[in-house]
Amino acid sequence: MGVLSLQKTGLIYEESFNSPSLPNTLEFVPSNPDRFSLTEVSGSLRLKHGDDPLFLFFNQLSGLSQFVVDVKNNYSPQIQGDVGGLVVYGDKDNYISLEEYFNVVEGTVLTYPWIRLVRDFSNFYAYWSEDGSDWRFIGVHDFDRLSPRVGLFIKGAVGVPLDVEYLSIYTPLYRDWE
């Protein structure tokens, strides 16, 4: 298992969700205010389940060929179809996702306190961490789309909400990943 070590440079966005509103560079799809909240859990952005998947896209990332997204979240799916995480989205049939979900066969939850997505041109690297400092490699996927949409998602008609506690988006100073 690899360990990722990056220094931050070129901070693009950072959020601890203590403000009553979000910047217009973040876009919810669908734009339904009943599906998210900044007030239900202090210091968190709560994403809620519904009939359609909910996406929170970071619009400023669409044209960037290199970036890092770090997310601290609290999510413990409990039923089949209760899924959330990070997504690189081309369209409904072409996307890759770093998912946290309930494994029905094993009766266990696959969830991470911290998740990281690193884009290096068409390669997207996924990592997880217990503390936001020591990162463990999950995998890499080639997604050859010029300007995919990148963000968070939650899908499933019902289930526990996904609480995002911290979000940081930046450009890496140097590469040290597999």
Side-chain angles (χ1 to χ4, degrees):
M1 220 178 274
V3 175
L4 175 67
S5 175
L6 292 176
Q7 293 182 10
K8 291 182 183 181
T9 185
L11 184 64
I12 297 169
Y13 182 76
E14 185 174 42
E15 183 67 60
S16 296
F17 303 105
N18 292 312
S19 170
S21 64
L22 293 170
N24 60 5
T25 56
L26 303 177
E27 178 187 2
F28 286 96
V29 176
S31 181
N32 179 349
D34 293 335
R35 299 281 308 274
F36 59 91
S37 171
L38 284 166
T39 59
E40 288 183 26
V41 178
S42 180
S44 290
L45 169 63
R46 175 163 276 186
L47 304 179
K48 303 174 191 178
H49 288 278
D51 291 333
D52 297 313
L54 175 67
F55 297 96
L56 171 58
F57 291 120
F58 315 132
N59 287 332
Q60 65 272 41
L61 296 181
S62 290
L64 293 180
S65 59
Q66 293 179 303
F67 59 77
V68 179
V69 177
D70 289 343
V71 176
K72 180 180 183 189
N73 75 113
N74 185 355
Y75 186 50
S76 186
Q78 301 297 310
I79 59 175
Q80 182 176 0
D82 189 0
V83 179
L86 283 166
V87 66
V88 179
Y89 189 86
D91 58 50
K92 68 179 181 128
D93 297 319
N94 297 287
Y95 63 90
I96 56 174
S97 56
L98 171 52
E99 297 181 348
E100 297 177 281
Y101 61 92
F102 180 73
N103 184 322
V104 178
V105 175
E106 296 180 12
T108 59
V109 174
L110 177 64
T111 188
Y112 310 106
W114 285 83
I115 51 180
R116 171 176 276 176
L117 181 69
V118 177
R119 181 177 187 180
D120 188 31
F121 298 94
S122 67
N123 290 313
F124 289 85
Y125 298 80
Y127 299 86
W128 73 274
S129 175
E130 288 286 338
D131 59 8
S133 295
D134 295 323
W135 295 91
R136 306 219 187 298
F137 180 71
I138 296 172
V140 61
H141 198 298
D142 181 65
F143 193 72
D144 196 14
R145 295 286 174 121
L146 186 59
S147 297
R149 301 189 80 189
V150 177
L152 294 163
F153 78 98
I154 190 167
K155 68 179 180 179
V158 296
V160 298
L162 187 156
D163 293 324
V164 182
E165 299 172 4
Y166 175 77
L167 170 64
S168 177
I169 304 171
Y170 56 94
T171 55
L173 179 62
Y174 64 91
R175 293 185 296 184
D176 187 21
W177 59 84
E178 299 173 351

